[in-house]
Amino acid sequence: MWPLCKSTDNESHSRPTRSCRRAFTLLELMIAMTVMLMVIGALAGLARTVEQGYEYSEGYGIATQQARITLDRIAQNVCQATANEQFPGCLVVAETVNGYRYPDALVLWRPGGDASSPTGLGRTPANPSGLPCFNELLIYCPDPNAPNQFVELTAPGDARTVPAANDDAGWQSALAALKKNAGTRSVLLTDLLRTCSTSGAGNLRGAVRFETRLLPSAGDWASFKAGSAKWMDLPWTQNIYGPQAGLRQVWVRTELQLMPGVAWIESNKAAAEAVPYLGSAALYYQLTHP
């Protein structure tokens, strides 16, 4: 119903005056503005959600792409590594800090497998039946000066022979010196590696982990060489063996934890969550009956 207003004799009481019509139009405008503000607020919230969703997808897409390239590179070099009885081709060098073990360095015997090889097909090892040289190795580990960077290291000018595969202290010392050597070449694979502080220490470490499994294991082979285990009783891979040789498997497992690859909005809590990526590869070679 129209509001009651004064009227002249020539105007009906059911018809609003001009001043009443103006007041009613202002009320409609205020209602329309209120509704418009509500719509704009809803659209702004929707746009923020879409923006965060886009950043989520983009960040995880970049991390996934870098993780896939890194894991594929490691797997390819594991499968093409050189191995013999003295060195299994793949070796994990772990560092112990305050009683905690950090297996974050992987060593591969890959002669000519780095960027310095003109063909990329590798070359003949200097000592195929013995231990490799440092210039024949590929080393995957976090950069000691920037733990968020995961790198591939090579030492092209170092022709020294590496320590024995079971010499943990020798390998830890050798890798520590190699990382500091000015002649060591470094290839950056990703700079999205998650970092965390070690227990009881203030330094940061990159969140990467390597594990290897040998079948037959080093203990099995030592038992056979000592005469306490028979050749046919060794746990050969897929039970493939003969009177003169048997098949050995070296299985390498890798875990990388990467952070999203873009600068996210601070209010987006998902930006602080690392994403784990898992990879594995296997090397097969024969052990010869002595």
Side-chain angles (χ1 to χ4, degrees):
M1 295 180 62
W2 297 103
L4 297 177
C5 301
K6 292 183 179 181
S7 61
T8 61
D9 294 340
N10 297 331
E11 293 179 335
S12 171
H13 290 284
S14 61
R15 183 178 181 183
T17 63
R18 182 175 300 177
S19 60
C20 289
R21 286 198 300 272
R22 289 177 179 172
F24 185 76
T25 303
L26 181 59
L27 180 60
E28 288 178 330
L29 181 59
M30 294 178 63
I31 295 175
M33 291 179 62
T34 302
V35 173
M36 185 177 297
L37 290 175
M38 294 174 61
V39 172
I40 293 174
L43 291 177
L46 180 61
R48 180 63 174 273
T49 302
V50 171
E51 182 182 10
Q52 290 182 346
Y54 172 78
E55 290 180 344
Y56 180 93
S57 300
E58 183 184 13
Y60 278 77
I62 294 174
T64 300
Q65 182 184 32
Q66 295 193 16
R68 179 177 300 175
I69 294 173
T70 300
L71 293 175
D72 286 349
R73 186 184 183 102
I74 295 174
Q76 180 180 8
N77 285 313
V78 167
C79 295
Q80 298 178 359
T82 301
N84 57 27
E85 181 181 338
Q86 295 192 41
F87 193 86
C90 310
L91 183 68
V92 175
V93 180
E95 184 178 358
T96 301
V97 179
N98 296 325
Y100 292 91
R101 178 175 177 268
Y102 297 94
D104 54 6
L106 176 66
V107 177
L108 303 181
W109 188 3
R110 185 80 167 88
D114 61 337
S116 64
S117 176
T119 62
L121 299 178
R123 61 177 183 267
T124 303
N127 189 4
S129 60
L131 292 171
C133 300
F134 279 103
N135 59 7
E136 298 176 333
L137 300 180
L138 290 180
I139 302 169
Y140 295 96
C141 63
D143 190 322
N145 299 318
N148 67 306
Q149 297 182 2
F150 185 69
V151 295
E152 177 187 272
L153 302 179
T154 55
D158 194 344
R160 295 175 301 145
T161 303
V162 303
N166 58 357
D167 185 2
D168 295 337
W171 273 104
Q172 292 173 4
S173 176
L175 285 191
L178 188 143
K179 292 176 183 178
K180 298 177 182 178
N181 193 333
T184 300
R185 294 180 181 177
S186 177
V187 177
L188 176 63
L189 300 181
T190 178
D191 59 355
L192 302 179
L193 197 62
R194 176 197 171 197
T195 58
C196 51
S197 59
T198 57
S199 178
N203 58 321
L204 296 177
R205 298 189 72 94
V208 57
R209 180 182 180 91
F210 297 103
E211 292 291 345
T212 59
R213 187 192 70 179
L214 274 67
L215 193 68
S217 67
D220 295 330
W221 187 249
S223 297
F224 166 72
K225 297 293 290 291
S228 58
K230 296 182 179 180
W231 175 265
M232 64 182 65
D233 293 333
L234 293 178
W236 296 109
T237 302
Q238 299 180 3
N239 204 32
I240 299 177
Y241 71 97
Q244 300 298 326
L247 184 65
R248 191 181 206 182
Q249 180 197 61
V250 184
W251 182 26
V252 180
R253 292 171 289 180
T254 306
E255 177 185 355
L256 297 174
Q257 295 187 18
L258 302 186
M259 302 300 293
V262 293
W264 286 24
I265 300 176
E266 294 181 357
S267 61
N268 195 337
K269 297 181 179 180
E273 297 180 2
V275 187
Y277 295 93
L278 306 177
S280 65
L283 169 66
Y284 297 88
Y285 67 99
Q286 71 175 18
L287 289 176
T288 305
H289 195 296

